[in-house]
Amino acid sequence: MTGGEGPVPHEDALRRRFAEAAREPRPDLALLCLLIGAEAARHGTGARNGAQDGTAGQEEYTAADRLVDEGQAELDRLAGMLPYERGRTPRQWARALEKLLGDRLGFRGAASDYQRLESSLLPRVLRRRRGLPILLAVVWTEVARRAGAPVYGVALPGHFVVGFGDPGGDHVLADPFGGGTPLGEEELSALVAGATGGAPLSAASLQPAGPLETVLRVLNNIRAWAGRRPEQTGVRLWAVELSLLLPHHPGTLRFERAQLLVERGDFVGGAREMEEYADVVAAMEPNAAENIRRAARAARARLN
């Protein structure tokens, strides 16, 4: 089940900008990832969510705009550092990005990056030059795209890489997490097997990943990070709420948001959202709907 148009949770200027960017005919991947970083930053610095009074709100959104502008400028700067060379082949593009971003500037990842929230936030990745495979792939694709390369992201099972060239023809894949090393068939198969515990590589997994698919996967990573840390329900909540602003998202995120509201003490709000979600799924999954209504009644009972 996927979601479409719907109410914006805790609507405010930053959230509206994210929702509008996600609905553009050609969504700007860098902008969306930078806005995720801005959302994280305002929560991390204690800024109020959805502030409505003039001064506080203006300061909050000015900070978000500055974070976005600085990130876009840094991606532009990095693209400008690529030496010009006419008629590069896909492999030459991959080597040029590896030499600049991986070797010269030190963009890459390590096992410890999976334990850090900042590894999923593009503004922080641009500063630290460390991150998860998917965020490093965003850096690679956005820098290469600005330099004129035919480039795209590839959402392999358990690992994100980038492709240069024609996905259906002459192309080469590279692993930004490893510093941008080009991947042959043997290395690619080993990478997927290592990430999934032995699953074979399929042709479908080599198709280009669209911007919104990539953004949802970034948010899923943030949700997963927070889900392993009970004290981070606030992080998980804003990641769910941003996911709900995407044109297509798993419908079960509505129930997850309702559960988080209850967990954070909003029993009435959480119960109400559970009941609304139960109404949506009742026609197709009546048993699931009844279980959700039961959870809503239990949430309301916690007020007594």
Side-chain angles (χ1 to χ4, degrees):
M1 180 178 183
T2 59
E5 297 293 336
V8 177
H10 292 194
E11 186 173 359
D12 59 29
L14 194 157
R15 300 282 180 93
R16 284 196 299 273
R17 186 176 182 186
F18 182 88
E20 290 165 1
R23 286 170 170 76
E24 288 289 331
R26 299 180 65 180
D28 184 330
L29 175 60
L31 172 60
L32 288 165
C33 288
L34 289 167
L35 287 171
I36 292 173
E39 179 77 10
R42 71 173 178 176
H43 285 280
T45 56
R48 284 178 292 168
N49 188 18
Q52 297 299 315
D53 60 302
T55 303
Q58 289 170 12
E59 289 176 353
E60 179 180 331
Y61 302 128
T62 299
D65 290 341
R66 184 167 58 249
L67 196 65
V68 169
D69 290 344
E70 288 174 351
Q72 296 280 26
E74 177 63 5
L75 291 168
D76 291 342
R77 186 184 74 85
L78 295 174
M81 294 173 67
L82 270 174
Y84 175 76
E85 183 179 324
R86 188 171 182 173
R88 280 191 177 104
T89 66
R91 182 162 291 275
Q92 287 171 335
W93 273 115
R95 289 296 188 190
L97 269 292
E98 178 190 19
K99 184 175 180 181
L100 172 64
L101 296 179
D103 296 343
R104 180 177 169 187
L105 299 179
F107 280 92
R108 62 181 61 246
S112 60
D113 290 310
Y114 285 90
Q115 307 305 317
R116 306 173 70 130
L117 174 61
E118 60 189 348
S119 299
S120 291
L121 306 175
L122 183 55
R124 298 290 294 160
V125 171
L126 286 170
R127 285 195 289 272
R128 295 179 59 241
R129 301 182 181 180
R130 293 288 187 276
L132 296 187
I134 190 168
L135 266 299
L136 291 166
V138 169
V139 174
W140 249 253
T141 55
E142 288 299 303
V143 170
R145 180 180 64 80
R146 284 164 167 76
V151 64
Y152 54 94
V154 180
L156 296 176
H159 201 89
F160 213 96
V161 298
V162 296
F164 295 90
D166 178 2
D170 182 24
H171 68 275
V172 62
L173 300 181
D175 178 21
F177 192 73
T181 307
L183 299 166
E185 187 173 341
E186 185 175 331
E187 293 91 348
L188 192 60
S189 297
L191 185 65
V192 172
T196 62
L201 183 64
S202 67
S205 64
L206 296 175
Q207 296 304 305
L212 297 185
E213 176 188 350
T214 303
V215 169
L216 182 59
R217 188 155 162 171
V218 169
L219 290 167
N220 286 344
N221 286 341
I222 293 172
R223 288 171 49 229
W225 178 90
R228 295 189 294 271
R229 296 165 173 82
E231 74 282 4
Q232 296 291 351
T233 57
V235 171
R236 188 175 166 197
L237 179 60
W238 65 250
V240 168
E241 290 180 341
L242 287 184
S243 301
L244 286 167
L245 296 176
L246 297 174
H248 302 286
H249 54 258
T252 53
L253 286 176
R254 291 184 60 184
F255 184 52
E256 183 175 338
R257 180 175 188 269
Q259 289 177 305
L260 284 167
L261 291 177
V262 171
E263 188 174 343
R264 292 171 59 80
D266 184 359
F267 305 125
V268 173
R272 182 173 59 248
E273 293 206 10
M274 287 182 186
E275 290 160 351
E276 292 173 356
Y277 182 60
D279 291 341
V280 172
V281 303
M284 295 178 292
E285 302 176 68
N287 291 337
E290 180 53 36
N291 289 336
I292 295 168
R293 292 191 178 100
R294 190 177 299 116
R297 291 193 292 272
R300 291 186 186 279
R302 294 177 66 177
L303 289 169
N304 300 326

